[in-house]
Amino acid sequence: MINRLKYKNIILIFLLIPFLCPRGFLEYFSFYKLFFSAWLYLSVGIIYIVAITKLLTLKKIKINSFVGSMILYFSIIIILTFLVRQSFSGALQKLFATPALCILSVYYLKKNPLQIIKYTNNILIIIFVLNSTIFSPLVWPTYFRPISNHLLFIGHVQTAVQIGMLAILTAYIEYEVYNGNKKKYVLLMILSYINMLMSFTSAAYISIILLLLFKILGNFKIYGSIALEGRVYLSLYLLLNFIFFLIICAGKSSLEIAGFSLNGRGFIWAKAIESFFKSPIYGYGANGVLIKVFWSYWVGDGQGMNYMHNQILQILNDGGIILFAAFIYMLYIAMSTIDKLKGKKIRYQISTFIAIILIVMTFESVMEYFYFSYILCIVAYLPRLVQNRGASRDEY
């Protein structure tokens, strides 16, 4: 039995690593990129084969609302991409690897949640330690210069806040829900803050400030006034984005707030809005359109970029209003789990965490990477973890 458990743990670690692997060296070494790409697609293949095999052996399949919303979202973006582009080039990970991670996480969050949470934390601790020590910008300044080339060992600086927030969530769950080791919890929290600070990004700084602010407010036990319903947070998120888009459409692309510039995002958003209105119903498919701002002509290859620096604008360009509706539905189902959480303290913690994630989504296209989808799955299943220390085994 012990050997069997060790074997299963090794398999899980093997499947998880390529989704969480540090991506900084992908920009420099073709062998490194080939190695982790091959590992990723091997993991993806294994996940799909096992999932299909298990489904074929089931006499009855019950799909809960969150899994159904995920299936709807990824089905739509895959179909639209194929119909509009007749190609999946440049979007394979986004279209097929991300759903595989969702399948893996949902399976373990139902069957053995502590196992996947625990090993996610272990992997992230190793990556964060390497990122802040051996492979830090101080040791490898030729490769990693977050201010000038926007790269860290963990990957592009914009991913730091996403992987940092994932670590904060999983560290909290292992410690608070499963009575984990406090030293491990404190270590991972400190490492998360350090790695987010190292990115020198506004999104990371805003997230850290809000995390500390909500922590201080939580000490006064004002849980009820901030732990709102999930649909309220979603509505506020949509309202915030709508206000920003109105400002952009009014011609204020510089988008300075109290003298604080959002690093050119206003200009990017203006072009993203413009491209959306040219194909508003079904968009351009994943990675189907490049936008050019005034600095595109002297940055990179001059072809522009597909990264919209806003998740809603990314969705609207990838799949238009059709995909946007599926995305909002998936978010609504996941966010509504806040209302099912028992206990004021944990509901407050998760509510404030979700509020920060939604703010990050306003300034970054988070679904271009794996971390947000993983976070969404964990949040959606969190009430099961809190109530049952696991989940029932009759739904897939």
Side-chain angles (χ1 to χ4, degrees), residues 259-309:
F260 178 71
S261 174
L262 297 176
N263 296 327
R265 278 173 172 76
F267 297 102
I268 298 171
W269 294 351
K271 292 296 182 181
I273 292 171
E274 180 182 323
S275 67
F276 158 66
F277 279 116
K278 292 179 181 178
S279 182
I281 305 302
Y282 45 79
Y284 304 90
N287 287 40
V289 64
L290 297 176
I291 59 171
K292 290 184 179 181
V293 288
F294 62 85
W295 63 81
S296 296
Y297 300 97
W298 61 80
V299 175
D301 57 9
Q303 297 301 308
M305 58 183 167
N306 179 259
Y307 192 84
M308 308 300 172
H309 287 279

Side-chain angles (χ1 to χ4, degrees), residues 112-159:
N112 196 338
L114 177 57
Q115 191 177 26
I116 192 169
I117 294 295
K118 176 182 176 181
Y119 285 112
T120 295
N121 286 337
N122 292 346
I123 293 169
L124 291 177
I125 286 174
I126 294 171
I127 292 173
F128 285 170
V129 169
L130 291 175
N131 185 65
S132 56
T133 56
I134 298 174
F135 296 111
S136 72
L138 293 177
V139 180
W140 293 71
T142 304
Y143 296 107
F144 306 127
R145 301 186 304 276
I147 296 179
S148 57
N149 72 357
H150 308 299
L151 274 180
L152 290 166
F153 173 67
I154 56 175
H156 196 283
V157 291
Q158 64 204 13
T159 66

Side-chain angles (χ1 to χ4, degrees), residues 199-316:
S199 69
F200 290 97
T201 61
S202 299
Y205 292 159
I206 291 171
S207 298
I208 291 172
I209 291 171
L210 290 175
L211 283 167
L212 294 175
L213 176 62
F214 287 136
K215 177 66 176 176
I216 294 171
L217 292 175
N219 291 334
F220 293 98
K221 298 182 179 182
I222 54 171
Y223 302 134
S225 60
I226 297 179
L228 307 174
E229 293 182 352
R231 61 184 178 182
V232 175
Y233 285 109
L234 182 57
S235 299
L236 291 174
Y237 164 66
L238 293 173
L239 178 62
L240 175 63
N241 279 262
F242 181 69
I243 291 172
F244 276 136
F245 299 160
L246 283 180
I247 294 172
I248 296 299
C249 291
K252 299 181 180 180
S253 298
S254 59
L255 202 64
E256 290 190 3
I257 302 174
F260 178 71
S261 174
L262 297 176
N263 296 327
R265 278 173 172 76
F267 297 102
I268 298 171
W269 294 351
K271 292 296 182 181
I273 292 171
E274 180 182 323
S275 67
F276 158 66
F277 279 116
K278 292 179 181 178
S279 182
I281 305 302
Y282 45 79
Y284 304 90
N287 287 40
V289 64
L290 297 176
I291 59 171
K292 290 184 179 181
V293 288
F294 62 85
W295 63 81
S296 296
Y297 300 97
W298 61 80
V299 175
D301 57 9
Q303 297 301 308
M305 58 183 167
N306 179 259
Y307 192 84
M308 308 300 172
H309 287 279
N310 176 282
Q311 187 55 52
I312 288 179
L313 290 177
Q314 193 74 48
I315 293 292
L316 290 173

Side-chain angles (χ1 to χ4, degrees), residues 41-106:
Y41 287 112
L42 177 60
S43 295
V44 169
I46 292 172
I47 292 168
Y48 280 126
I49 290 171
V50 172
I52 293 171
T53 302
K54 286 186 175 293
L55 287 174
L56 292 175
T57 60
L58 293 175
K59 294 181 179 180
K60 185 178 180 181
I61 300 175
K62 293 178 66 177
I63 299 176
N64 65 34
S65 56
F66 175 70
V67 172
S69 70
M70 279 199 313
I71 293 172
L72 177 65
Y73 171 81
F74 285 111
S75 296
I76 288 176
I77 191 172
I78 290 171
I79 292 170
L80 285 177
T81 299
F82 179 75
L83 292 177
V84 175
R85 294 185 56 200
Q86 289 85 49
S87 170
F88 297 127
S89 63
L92 287 174
Q93 291 190 19
K94 182 176 179 177
L95 296 177
F96 299 104
T98 301
L101 175 60
C102 292
I103 292 171
L104 179 70
S105 59
V106 164

